[in-house]
Amino acid sequence: MKKVAFIPVLFLIVTSCCSVRVNSDYDKKVDFSTYKSYAFLKSGVDKMEISDLDKKRIMHSIDDVMTTKGFTKSESPDILINIFTKEREQVNVNQFNAGWGYGYGYGWNPYVWSGQTSINRYTEGTLYIDLIDAKKKELIWQGEGEGTLTKDTHKKEALIKEFVSKILEQYPPQKK
């Protein structure tokens, strides 16, 4: 008698590494080299429905990136930075059923059944960073980053820095 074993292979996509997916859009008629200074659009920041601590984390991260790109913060800026967020609860149900299978003996054995279900709940968020021409009051560039959020205060700052840096990597846009 032969025992035929069914060996399950399960591939999981882990979103904790390289967890931020980014995209950007921009006005192709704009000369981005003329912009040298920035300020935050207070009305936009005030509307964000996140904690004041997270607002500060985002703004500090943007300050860090903009400084490394050669921008200065100014009372009379070239660019106004607006930020806003969205979040949604995600539920992932993974079910693996070996199903009806082969058992001992010859042929099909309908009495062999195995399976496992796991449920994973997490929050996915999107951070939008809008760059607005301060004189014309027109949107010139928008970046967005989407990824899994954490409530762990020790990991929040690093995650926010990752979101901001990956989004602003795409600014200024490389015209093709």
Side-chain angles (χ1 to χ4, degrees):
M1 298 206 178
K2 248 190 212 179
K3 178 179 179 184
V4 178
F6 179 77
I7 302 173
V9 178
L10 179 62
F11 292 101
L12 295 175
I13 298 173
V14 180
T15 59
S16 61
C17 295
C18 303
S19 60
V20 180
R21 297 168 303 281
V22 296
N23 191 27
S24 65
D25 194 10
Y26 65 95
D27 184 340
K28 291 172 182 44
K29 296 175 185 167
V30 171
D31 179 8
F32 290 93
S33 66
T34 62
Y35 301 109
K36 303 292 180 202
S37 62
Y38 74 96
F40 289 99
L41 184 63
K42 184 173 175 9
S43 61
V45 173
D46 289 345
K47 287 181 188 176
M48 287 178 46
E49 295 181 9
I50 60 174
S51 77
D52 287 344
L53 292 171
D54 284 342
K55 286 179 190 180
K56 286 181 186 178
R57 288 179 180 113
I58 292 169
M59 291 169 55
H60 287 303
S61 292
I62 291 173
D63 283 337
D64 291 345
V65 173
M66 294 301 279
T67 300
T68 61
K69 289 183 174 282
F71 285 82
T72 56
K73 208 167 187 180
S74 172
E75 293 292 322
S76 56
D78 302 323
I79 293 176
L80 295 171
I81 298 178
N82 185 38
I83 49 181
F84 61 100
T85 60
K86 290 183 183 178
E87 70 176 50
R88 65 207 149 277
E89 187 74 21
Q90 298 285 58
V91 178
N92 224 357
V93 178
N94 291 314
Q95 186 170 18
F96 173 76
N97 289 319
W100 301 107
Y102 290 96
Y104 291 103
Y106 292 101
W108 185 257
N109 182 350
Y111 301 106
V112 176
W113 180 264
S114 65
Q116 184 176 5
T117 301
S118 67
I119 298 173
N120 181 24
R121 295 177 198 272
Y122 59 94
T123 303
E124 191 167 88
T126 306
L127 171 64
Y128 295 89
I129 301 176
D130 292 344
L131 301 184
I132 301 163
D133 183 297
K135 290 179 185 143
K136 296 179 184 177
K137 305 291 189 233
E138 291 178 357
L139 180 67
I140 57 169
W141 185 89
Q142 182 179 62
E144 67 178 89
E146 186 176 275
T148 304
L149 304 180
T150 182
K151 292 185 188 249
D152 183 341
T153 55
H154 300 292
K155 294 179 181 177
K156 259 187 189 184
E157 191 161 340
L159 183 61
I160 287 171
K161 283 182 181 183
E162 181 183 5
F163 264 77
V164 169
S165 64
K166 288 197 180 263
I167 293 167
L168 289 176
E169 269 179 12
Q170 298 189 2
Y171 181 84
Q174 304 300 316
K175 294 186 180 185
K176 295 177 182 178

